[in-house]
Amino acid sequence: MSIKSKMHELKMKYQGKKMAPAFNAFHTFLFSPNETTHAGGTHVKGADDLKRTMNTVIMALIPVLIFSMFNAGYQHYSAINGFPENFSVMEHFLTWDNFWIGIVKVLPLVVVSYGVGLLVEFIFAVIKGHEVEEGYLVTGMLVPLIMPIDTPLWMLSVAVVFGVVIGKEVFGGTGMNILNPALTIRAFLFFAYPTWMSGDKVWVHGAKDGVTQAGSVDAISGETILGYLAQGNEAAYQAKYSLSDMFFGFIPGSVGETSTFLILLGGLFLIFTKIASWRIMVSAVIGSLAMGLIFNGIVDAGWIAEYSKFYGLMQFDFWKHLLVGGLAFGIVYMATDPVTGSQTNRGKWIYGFFIGFMSVMIRVFNPGYPEGVFLAILLMNVFAPTIDHYVIRGNVKRRMKRLKNAVVLPKDSDSAAKELKAETV
């Protein structure tokens, strides 16, 4: 008897028992079910289900994860020894030493994120008596990618428990939550342990522990480009990072947010597979560019003095905001969450635009922590149902107005009825 057959017998034997949801989760993860639909009937076959959807998003995140593991080591050794001259990807970036830092620092974050999060999911499934849902598969991958590299594992565990329980399970589980669980976890850490989530010592491995530069007694710094701009120190970041560094991701930051190039490829993949909404992505980009242009215009008009603490980020080229920080990552992988985002087509344009618009606004006016995308997305998560409500209400009013003014002749009743069909939301 095969393992699959044996597990199927155990599944049928313990069906309805307390631990059945946990066992069924392992069974369906390892094997396809034995039950099939009966032949001879008419069936509607769909190529997409929750598990395939989640796996597709994970596939889009894998290149970002692998890159982040190399970048963790590259930033660490560059902070100690200085950035290499005549940079070569093969010689200076894709090295075993760099990858080993990623194995030691990034993989434990992934393991803890999945281990603790799925444990909470299993516990709630057993208590509530429903099947374990696949909703945490993507969240478990997103969480380590939006963390600083040296985040303590115990701290991540506490945050994951909070995010899964408060951010999702109290609302009824997968598909019922109003806030993005990964961003709920990030927000919890930001407010509960701010010194581990901001500053110039959390983005590069070893900076928090006081590792010193080669031949120096000075501790290494892991300041991000946004950090330099918030301090008004534009020359410092320009001396260290080029435009190509910002685009391809050879800069410090949260584990997986640095490579705009790979994030762009992931976004195109999600659009091609129809998993993520292109309307939200495009409108969020438009919103961020609009806010950046407004700030650039304020600087060009001379309405803000150079000694202002907001000047550095305001004068930053509007389009470069998409290349640094977590804005691109948030737009592609967080804002497009189908559960917490807007559901109507027109609502998606409004929802995405304000995410981009407010991300840059918060980034500029919060120099203590010059990043605003996760706060902007969480805020718009709250307003997404309201946006959809008024979009639908507006559509209903337009339909009623058209119906009131319509004159339907007997011969034209069929064609007129077609014209009066409800607009797609």
Side-chain angles (χ1 to χ4, degrees), residues 87-98:
F87 173 76
S88 168
V89 173
M90 297 303 298
E91 182 180 351
H92 300 116
F93 189 79
L94 299 177
T95 66
W96 171 252
D97 289 339
N98 290 345

Side-chain angles (χ1 to χ4, degrees), residues 38-348:
H38 298 288
T42 302
H43 304 286
V44 177
K45 296 182 179 180
D48 58 331
D49 59 15
L50 184 59
K51 188 180 294 183
R52 286 192 181 97
T53 299
M54 295 299 173
N55 288 337
T56 303
V57 179
I58 292 174
M59 288 170 59
L61 286 166
I62 291 298
V64 176
L65 174 65
I66 295 174
F67 179 90
S68 69
M69 295 175 71
F70 282 102
N71 194 46
Y74 174 71
Q75 296 301 325
H76 172 72
Y77 289 116
S78 296
I80 295 175
N81 303 317
F83 288 91
E85 297 181 3
N86 302 319
F87 173 76
S88 168
V89 173
M90 297 303 298
E91 182 180 351
H92 300 116
F93 189 79
L94 299 177
T95 66
W96 171 252
D97 289 339
N98 290 345
F99 192 65
W100 179 250
I101 294 292
I103 292 175
V104 173
K105 298 303 299 182
V106 178
L107 278 188
L109 295 176
V110 177
V111 172
V112 169
S113 174
Y114 272 117
V116 175
L118 291 176
L119 176 62
V120 175
E121 292 270 9
F122 272 62
I123 292 173
F124 270 85
V126 170
I127 293 175
K128 298 168 70 175
H130 62 69
E131 296 296 323
V132 177
E133 298 163 327
E134 296 90 349
Y136 192 78
L137 290 179
V138 171
T139 302
M141 181 64 74
L142 287 173
V143 168
L145 294 178
I146 58 176
M147 292 292 143
I149 186 69
D150 281 337
T151 303
L153 298 181
W154 68 265
M155 195 178 294
L156 178 62
S157 301
V158 173
V160 168
V161 172
F162 176 87
V164 175
V165 175
I166 304 300
K168 187 168 69 170
E169 293 298 341
V170 296
F171 294 102
T174 301
M176 303 294 181
N177 49 294
I178 63 171
L179 299 176
N180 186 298
L183 290 178
T184 303
I185 293 169
R186 184 69 171 79
F188 173 83
L189 286 173
F190 175 71
F191 291 109
Y193 308 101
T195 58
W196 285 93
M197 296 292 116
S198 60
D200 64 345
K201 300 294 184 183
V202 300
W203 312 111
V204 174
H205 168 54
K208 193 78 173 177
D209 297 331
V211 175
T212 59
Q213 303 173 22
S216 172
V217 296
D218 296 329
I220 64 175
S221 172
E223 190 65 272
T224 62
I225 293 175
L226 291 176
Y228 283 123
L229 290 170
Q231 298 169 12
N233 196 358
E234 183 180 6
Y237 99 79
Q238 290 178 340
K240 296 179 68 174
Y241 309 112
S242 65
L243 187 61
S244 63
D245 290 336
M246 290 187 281
F247 179 67
F248 289 106
F250 306 123
I251 56 176
S254 293
V255 170
E257 73 177 18
T258 61
S259 180
T260 306
F261 172 68
L262 291 178
I263 293 169
L264 176 61
L265 292 181
L268 293 175
F269 176 71
L270 292 177
I271 292 173
F272 175 77
T273 54
K274 298 183 179 180
I275 298 298
S277 169
W278 64 268
R279 293 178 177 85
I280 293 177
M281 293 188 195
V282 172
S283 58
V285 170
I286 294 172
S288 61
L289 295 178
M291 189 72 261
L293 273 171
I294 292 173
F295 285 136
N296 286 174
I298 292 174
V299 172
D300 294 340
W303 293 350
I304 186 170
E306 291 189 21
Y307 57 79
S308 171
K309 63 181 179 179
F310 305 124
Y311 183 84
L313 284 162
M314 278 191 173
Q315 59 83 37
F316 192 48
D317 291 335
F318 68 98
W319 55 274
K320 289 183 180 178
H321 280 282
L322 291 165
L323 304 182
V324 297
L327 183 55
F329 189 90
I331 289 174
V332 171
Y333 296 111
M334 303 288 198
T336 54
D337 179 8
V339 176
T340 57
S342 186
Q343 305 298 312
T344 62
N345 285 342
R346 186 172 299 175
K348 289 175 182 176

